[in-house]
Amino acid sequence: MESTQKSGSGSGRVTEPDATVPVAGARFLEGRTALVTGAASGIGRSCARVFAAAGATVYVVDRTGEAAKSVAEEIGGSAYVVDLADPDRVDTLPVDADIVINNAGLQHIAPIHEFPPERFALIQRVMVEAPFRILRRTLPHMYAQRWGRIVNISSVHGLRASAYKSAYVAAKHALEGLSKVAALEGAPHGVTSNCVNPGYVRTPLVEQQIATQARAHGVPPDEVIEKVMLERSALKRLIEPAEVAQAALWLCSPHTGYLTGASLPLDGGWTAG
Ligand code: NAD
């Protein structure tokens, strides 16, 4: 099996592997290291699992210690218990990742005139500054080996706005910009950078929102999903974390070396409308 093994060479032409080789189920990331932020839950945990299944050694980064350790143990990776809101702690993360999945994120819902400024700043630190700091420290390693993959877990809210989500929408749009700049700078060094842009994903966070709204409006959970959350989506179902993780993995496969600076909408047709 052809794979994306490290060349070990610090210079020379970027060589991509044979894209004709089928990769489904293959351990094409054997020998690679993937750093995944927010890997203790939801989409990040799914990414950690599918990247490990594809052969990568995974750095499980999260502020939630017990959950991060349990994921790391399950997949044979290493846990890094770090609060990404603390820039000094972010700068202690390993610099030798071949793949970076910028995934950790949080939400706060309030109209702009009532939005707490410290909450706004926190969201930018975790969702924009931390990805920037992680990239500035890992890119030299990727450049030296002439191969690297950056996957930024953005959102449909990196492409579209929703009311009451000013900090989140601003942060996701900023992440889109960072991803495109990384794509331009990384191209001569064999490094690609892309975003994936899910609509509503079935994670504990969203399940909780569904239950709360169902109680508040006195309607069944299915109706909240269909009429409130998925109003703008053509596909009337939530996307599963594993589907997002598989898209992230595909962006790191031998078939996608020419795909960079892109944003892949996994939004059930939301942005098509
Ligand atoms: P989640 O809440 O299930 O998981 C997020 C993880 O990030 C948690 O383990 C949490 O501990 C970690 N985290 C948060 N703040 C952190 C910090 N300061 N330091 C370290 N770790 C921190 O969320 P999820 O739904 O899996 O979301 C993951 C990403 O996907 C986020 O960037 C989110 O914006 C994006 N996204 C989610 C959805 C959705 O519907 N769930 C849709 C589109 C995009």
Side-chain angles (χ1 to χ4, degrees):
M1 182 195 69
E2 189 57 77
S3 77
T4 55
Q5 291 294 314
K6 287 177 186 179
S7 68
S9 144
S11 61
R13 278 187 62 231
V14 171
T15 49
E16 287 295 336
D18 181 0
T20 61
V21 175
V23 292
R27 289 175 64 84
F28 60 88
L29 293 180
E30 203 84 61
R32 297 288 186 199
T33 303
L35 184 154
V36 184
T37 69
S41 170
I43 296 166
R45 182 172 57 195
S46 267
C47 285
R49 285 175 176 155
V50 306
F51 276 75
T57 300
V58 179
Y59 297 153
V60 176
V61 179
D62 208 288
R63 68 174 165 191
T64 315
E66 279 317 303
K69 284 174 195 159
S70 142
V71 172
E73 199 173 325
E74 175 198 322
I75 62 169
S78 319
Y80 292 84
V81 182
V82 164
D83 182 355
L84 296 168
D86 179 346
D88 292 336
R89 295 284 295 134
V90 176
D91 288 346
T92 65
L93 287 170
V95 295
D96 63 348
D98 307 310
I99 298 164
V100 168
I101 313 287
N102 282 313
N103 165 76
L106 67 159
Q107 181 63 275
H108 187 96
I109 296 172
I112 294 172
H113 64 281
E114 290 171 8
F115 210 99
E118 57 286 353
R119 197 78 186 150
F120 187 95
L122 169 76
I123 287 174
Q124 310 314 308
R125 277 208 305 284
V126 174
M127 292 168 60
V128 185
E129 184 176 346
F132 159 74
R133 282 181 177 274
I134 290 167
L135 293 188
R136 73 184 285 280
R137 296 180 72 253
T138 50
L139 281 173
H141 164 77
M142 297 185 203
Y143 289 176
Q145 65 177 8
R146 317 291 297 163
W147 193 92
R149 293 289 178 266
I150 303 160
V151 181
N152 298 300
I153 308 298
S154 177
S155 163
V156 69
H157 287 112
L159 307 170
R160 293 286 186 276
S162 286
Y164 315 124
K165 296 184 175 175
S166 56
Y168 187 87
V169 170
K172 291 300 191 191
H173 277 67
L175 185 64
E176 296 276 328
L178 176 65
S179 181
K180 288 179 196 167
V181 173
L184 298 185
E185 294 183 11
H189 306 283
V191 174
T192 67
S193 175
N194 292 287
C195 288
V196 296
N197 301 67
Y200 282 102
V201 187
R202 189 184 300 281
T203 64
L205 196 86
V206 167
E207 299 270 29
Q208 213 173 37
Q209 280 178 36
I210 295 166
T212 311
Q213 294 218 17
R215 271 196 307 276
H217 300 293
V219 295
D222 281 354
E223 203 172 309
V224 173
I225 296 176
E226 205 174 309
K227 301 225 168 110
V228 183
M229 297 192 150
L230 301 180
E231 194 199 348
R232 287 178 279 183
S233 173
L235 291 173
K236 300 296 183 191
R237 71 164 175 88
L238 302 176
I239 179 170
E240 302 296 327
E243 294 179 275
V244 181
Q246 289 294 346
L249 182 64
W250 177 71
L251 288 169
C252 302
S253 78
H255 294 174
T256 48
Y258 201 68
L259 180 49
T260 196
S263 300
L264 186 65
L266 300 174
D267 63 0
W270 182 326
T271 53

